Amino acid sequence: MEGESLVEVLREPVPPALLAELEQAARSLRVPLRTVLLAVHLRVLALVTGAPEVMTGLVTHGRPESEAGEEVLGLFLNTVPLRIDVTAPSWAALVRRVFDAEVALMPHRRYPLFEIQRASGRSPLLDVLFDFRDFHVYRGMPGIEVVDQEFFEQTDLPFATSFTRAREHGGSSWRSPTTGTSSAPSRSPRSGTTT
């Protein structure tokens, strides 16, 4: 219909051999798999936009850090901007740079995106989103077996990338919902980020 955004979703399983290589890279660099995937995401954005510095929205998980924090019901997600210069002499150096940026961002992971946008004077501030989910909390829960999962997610951002880890049924998958008429981000003049 006229005036409505088109939403396309590309979903692909990550081949087991590739996942094993990514996990090995994460172990050898002593970082989480999420960081390796985020570095790849940022490098792809740089290649698509032609910009050496890119910004993405990083979905953060702000679950309470207490003894029973994993058992608390609720949505503890937020998105914070992460800007990185991806010019690095090697993949290992890029992954380390991304990890250092993630660590520096940790104290601010719960600061609401709408407040960040208000303080910056720009709304929307982000055009691209990265999310990594690992449903480890369901492993070992008595009486619960995850046999399949289906997601419905929608965002007001033109491009989003999600990696979902569910070891119970086939490893990881990559999902990219996009809005608009193009499934590839393009250079945005307003922020030097991607749209």
Side-chain angles (χ1 to χ4, degrees):
M1 294 181 72
E2 192 173 317
E4 288 187 20
S5 294
L6 171 67
V7 177
E8 297 177 51
V9 176
L10 173 63
R11 181 178 182 186
E12 290 292 326
V14 176
L18 176 58
L19 181 59
E21 288 181 39
L22 292 167
E23 289 173 326
Q24 176 56 39
R27 275 192 300 277
S28 70
L29 294 170
R30 305 185 102 181
V31 299
L33 175 61
R34 164 191 162 124
T35 300
V36 173
L37 295 170
L38 177 57
V40 170
H41 167 77
L42 292 164
R43 183 68 182 121
V44 168
L45 288 179
L47 290 170
V48 170
T49 64
E53 186 176 272
V54 292
M55 184 166 64
T56 192
L58 180 61
V59 175
T60 61
H61 307 273
R63 186 165 289 282
E65 296 167 357
S66 63
E67 187 175 320
E70 286 190 354
E71 298 172 14
V72 177
L73 298 179
L75 185 63
F76 300 99
L77 302 177
N78 188 31
T79 302
V80 291
L82 178 68
R83 184 181 295 271
I84 296 281
D85 181 343
V86 299
T87 55
S90 66
W91 274 103
L94 176 59
V95 169
R96 178 56 51 195
R97 182 178 294 167
V98 170
F99 181 72
D100 291 345
E102 285 182 289
V103 170
L105 193 66
M106 286 295 287
H108 313 288
R109 72 187 179 278
R110 292 185 181 104
Y111 196 74
L113 178 59
F114 73 88
E115 290 290 351
I116 295 170
Q117 290 178 150
R118 190 169 59 115
S120 73
R122 293 193 349 230
S123 183
L125 179 63
L126 303 168
D127 302 313
V128 181
L129 178 104
F130 176 87
D131 187 17
F132 178 82
R133 300 176 200 140
D134 186 345
F135 291 104
H136 65 278
V137 72
Y138 293 118
R139 284 191 306 276
M141 290 182 80
I144 295 179
E145 176 186 3
V146 178
V147 294
D148 195 13
Q149 60 189 7
E150 186 63 36
F151 294 102
F152 172 80
E153 56 189 324
Q154 199 164 359
T155 178
D156 59 347
L157 301 178
F159 188 77
T161 299
S162 299
F163 288 91
T164 303
R165 182 112 196 223
R167 294 176 187 88
E168 292 81 6
H169 63 279
S172 293
S173 65
W174 170 76
R175 249 176 98 82
S176 183
T178 60
T179 59
T181 57
S182 171
S183 60
S186 63
R187 180 121 172 120
S188 167
R190 81 165 185 261
S191 63
T193 63
T194 55
T195 58

